[in-house]
Amino acid sequence: MINQRYKLDFFKQKAIAPLVMFRIIFGAMLLFSSVRFIAKGWVNTQYIEPQFYFGYLGFEWIKPLPGNLMYIPFVLMVLAALFILLGFMYRYSAFVFFICFTYVELIDKSNYLNHYYFLSLMSFLMVLVPANRDFSIDAKLFPKIRREVTYAWHTGILKFQLAVVYIFAGIAKINSDWLFEAQPLKIWLQAHHNVPFVGSLLQEEWTAYFFSWMGCVYDLFIVFFLLNKKTRPIAYLAVIFFHVITWLLFPIGVFPWVMIFSTTIFFGTKFHQQLLNGLKSLFKWSKKIPEKVKNMPSPKPYVRYGLIIYIAFQILVPLRFLAYPGNLYWNEEGFRFSWRVMLMHKEGNATFYVTDKSTGRTIEVDNTDFLTVRQEDQMATQPDMILQFAKMLKEEYDGKTFSNHKQSITLHDPAVHAEVFVTLNGRSSQLFIDKKHDLTTLPYNLKHREWIVPFEK
């Protein structure tokens, strides 16, 4: 019974218009984001200038291309996004974008953003769905691929991915700092006291509490209102209002616009069909599809199992923090890839010491000799990055000789210690990493890091 219902829900045929329109919208967003990244000079500042990169566990082997060759994956992303938009060599283009974008994001975790992870997942899903089977160059060149229907899961999996982002973001907001202290919004809103007309309002304490509670309610329930035909128009107005406000107040890049336009996938078939028909009329595209190519081919048996695995993965990964003791926002174990959007304001000060074990002679490290400002800011509050930096320092200083006006010091198999202080959501600065640990002897893995000083409320 369950299996039959699953087949009915996921493999029934629906109009392809929503999927085609999403391809056009998503391709346009990818194109804009890729061009913007190059135009802002971020390829150079984030992937060429740094001397050291904080790779993800298991992916440390992924390195940037040398020098200006690093522009190659970004140029490929621009072309691939354009081809996705046009539906030209669609599957190959979607695959190229996914590979290039994910490669770039795996180079350095100090560049991690929730919306980058979201785009990587969505571009992967776009490889799987046949969004080029109508109103595309592919359909023009190969009329036999044209269809007026598609399987429900082709759009359903995209809705699911958006639902995961919203609902887990809402669940994450059910914590004392966000709801009962209005943190970190109290801190962030203070920076907008000069905003015309509403600057003074943003300084009011109740404003921070209002935004905190409304943000939680919005994330928890907006998907359900979007799924309901009667409440969808009002819900989408709420989507626009919410994301425009966050875009105006907070430096979170194109993420609000990505969510605004992606959420149109929740609109009904009639809405998308009207948009698609309008585009077809504008470009004089034939609306008639031959009868023999109207229906979809039979689904492959492995598709349902792949969907189950993907859905399970997306649900379990954000919940992995439950396997770790302590305060999640302090330890950050299970924090990434869990849709915890704008939930903490964390600042740190990390001082590293390289010590010759045989003589006890010590050198204090200037972090800026190795890291960019962004990398240092991120590293100073994230334990795994602190550990990675310490191990890099050991390699960098081992066997090197340093001289001053009194003596020369040659370091052999040095130890690396760090004294790190961190402030979380406006609290007083607390000791985060004690200087007593030789960080080079500590394992870099997924186990709980007992060497982090426990959080004091």
Side-chain angles (χ1 to χ4, degrees):
M1 179 67 70
I2 295 177
N3 188 45
Q4 290 300 317
R5 182 177 180 180
Y6 178 80
K7 285 183 179 180
L8 178 65
D9 289 344
F10 280 79
F11 295 107
K12 64 181 179 181
Q13 296 187 9
K14 289 188 172 183
I16 200 171
L19 184 61
V20 174
M21 286 307 305
F22 186 84
R23 185 205 80 223
I24 295 169
I25 292 169
F26 191 66
M29 289 190 298
L30 297 181
L31 179 60
F32 173 79
S33 299
S34 301
V35 171
R36 176 176 178 265
F37 202 95
I38 296 173
K40 290 280 188 179
W42 293 338
V43 179
N44 187 60
T45 58
Q46 295 184 25
Y47 297 102
I48 297 177
E49 289 183 356
Q51 302 177 49
F52 176 72
Y53 299 89
F54 293 93
Y56 288 87
L57 183 63
F59 293 92
E60 296 90 347
W61 54 273
I62 294 181
K63 302 296 182 184
L65 298 173
N68 288 333
L69 292 179
M70 195 58 214
Y71 279 95
I72 292 176
F74 288 92
V75 172
L76 289 175
M77 279 190 274
V78 170
L79 293 174
L82 177 62
F83 288 174
I84 292 171
L85 168 62
L86 299 175
F88 178 56
M89 296 191 296
Y90 166 74
R91 293 291 182 106
Y92 298 107
S93 300
F95 181 74
V96 167
F97 188 92
F98 165 69
I99 291 297
C100 290
F101 188 85
T102 304
Y103 157 70
V104 166
E105 293 313 310
L106 287 174
I107 290 173
D108 191 345
K109 70 177 73 169
S110 67
N111 297 322
Y112 172 83
L113 292 174
N114 282 291
H115 82 267
Y116 289 162
Y117 178 46
F118 174 74
L119 289 178
S120 185
L121 291 174
M122 293 296 276
S123 60
F124 168 73
L125 293 176
M126 292 301 283
V127 177
L128 306 180
V129 298
N132 63 329
R133 291 195 169 181
D134 195 15
F135 196 60
S136 67
I137 294 178
D138 288 346
K140 180 69 74 173
L141 296 175
F142 308 102
K144 290 184 178 180
I145 73 168
R146 289 191 68 184
R147 298 288 187 276
E148 65 178 12
V149 295
T150 193
Y151 286 118
W153 78 264
H154 292 156
T155 52
I157 195 66
L158 302 175
K159 294 177 184 178
F160 166 78
Q161 190 62 69
L162 280 159
V164 165
V165 176
Y166 276 121
I167 293 173
F168 273 108
I171 293 172
K173 288 180 173 64
I174 305 176
N175 70 76
S176 59
D177 272 16
W178 183 266
L179 295 178
F180 304 124
E181 301 295 335
Q183 291 287 11
L185 287 182
K186 276 184 185 177
I187 298 172
W188 294 340
L189 291 177
Q190 292 296 317
H192 298 283
H193 62 278
N194 291 326
V195 174
F197 305 114
V198 297
S200 59
L201 182 64
L202 296 176
Q203 308 309 298
E204 297 289 339
E205 187 173 279
W206 69 264
T207 304
Y209 279 98
F210 176 80
F211 282 169
S212 293
W213 279 83
M214 288 302 98
C216 181
V217 171
Y218 169 86
D219 283 339
L220 284 172
F221 298 106
I222 192 62
V223 168
F224 303 101
F225 288 114
L226 287 167
L227 288 170
N228 188 302
K229 183 178 180 180
K230 293 181 179 179
T231 58
R232 189 177 296 138
I234 298 298
Y236 192 68
L237 288 176
V239 169
I240 295 173
F241 176 79
F242 177 84
H243 287 294
V244 168
I245 290 297
T246 56
W247 176 71
L248 290 172
L249 293 178
F250 308 115
I252 53 177
V254 299
F255 183 63
W257 301 104
V258 169
M259 298 306 288
I260 286 173
F261 290 110
S262 295
T263 306
T264 58
I265 192 67
F266 286 97
F267 277 79
T269 299
K270 183 178 179 180
F271 170 82
H272 290 285
Q273 193 67 61
Q274 289 175 340
L275 288 179
L276 186 58
N277 288 340
L279 289 174
K280 287 181 176 181
S281 297
L282 180 64
F283 290 94
K284 301 185 183 333
W285 179 277
S286 174
K287 299 178 184 178
K288 186 176 181 180
I289 298 178
E291 189 68 33
K292 63 180 180 180
V293 297
K294 281 189 175 183
N295 296 318
M296 290 288 291
S298 299
K300 303 296 183 183
Y302 58 77
V303 172
R304 67 172 61 92
Y305 302 111
L307 285 172
I308 291 172
I309 292 171
Y310 184 84
I311 289 170
F313 180 84
Q314 290 303 317
I315 292 173
L316 293 175
V317 167
L319 296 176
R320 73 192 189 283
F321 76 97
L322 295 172
Y324 296 100
N327 185 296
L328 167 65
Y329 300 100
W330 184 254
N331 298 337
E332 297 198 37
E333 294 171 321
F335 183 85
R336 296 188 196 96
F337 314 112
S338 59
W339 311 115
R340 299 179 181 279
V341 184
M342 300 177 63
L343 286 176
M344 67 177 181
H345 180 80
K346 206 172 180 185
E347 296 181 6
N349 181 42
T351 305
F352 288 80
Y353 304 91
V354 181
T355 302
D356 186 283
K357 294 179 181 178
S358 59
T359 65
R361 293 173 176 173
T362 299
I363 294 173
E364 183 176 323
V365 177
D366 184 349
N367 298 339
T368 61
D369 287 343
F370 305 96
L371 304 177
T372 65
V373 173
R374 177 186 177 85
Q375 286 179 318
E376 184 177 17
D377 288 344
Q378 294 291 315
M379 177 274 298
T381 64
Q382 300 182 44
D384 57 341
M385 294 175 68
I386 289 171
L387 195 61
Q388 285 177 284
F389 187 55
K391 292 180 181 295
M392 183 277 291
L393 290 175
K394 177 182 175 69
E395 295 180 6
E396 184 69 24
Y397 282 90
D398 192 10
K400 287 193 174 181
T401 300
F402 300 86
S403 302
N404 56 32
H405 64 282
K406 292 183 178 180
Q407 60 183 340
S408 295
I409 302 175
T410 301
L411 300 176
H412 298 287
D413 188 27
V416 179
H417 301 261
E419 188 171 51
V420 185
F421 288 87
V422 169
T423 174
L424 174 62
N425 287 345
R427 295 176 176 84
S428 298
S429 182
Q430 301 178 31
L431 183 64
F432 188 56
I433 307 295
D434 196 301
K435 191 179 176 182
K436 66 183 180 182
H437 300 288
D438 177 4
L439 298 177
T440 65
T441 65
L442 301 176
Y444 175 44
N445 54 34
L446 294 177
K447 294 182 180 180
H448 172 57
R449 301 181 180 102
E450 297 180 350
W451 42 273
I452 302 173
V453 178
F455 177 67
E456 297 178 10
K457 294 184 179 180

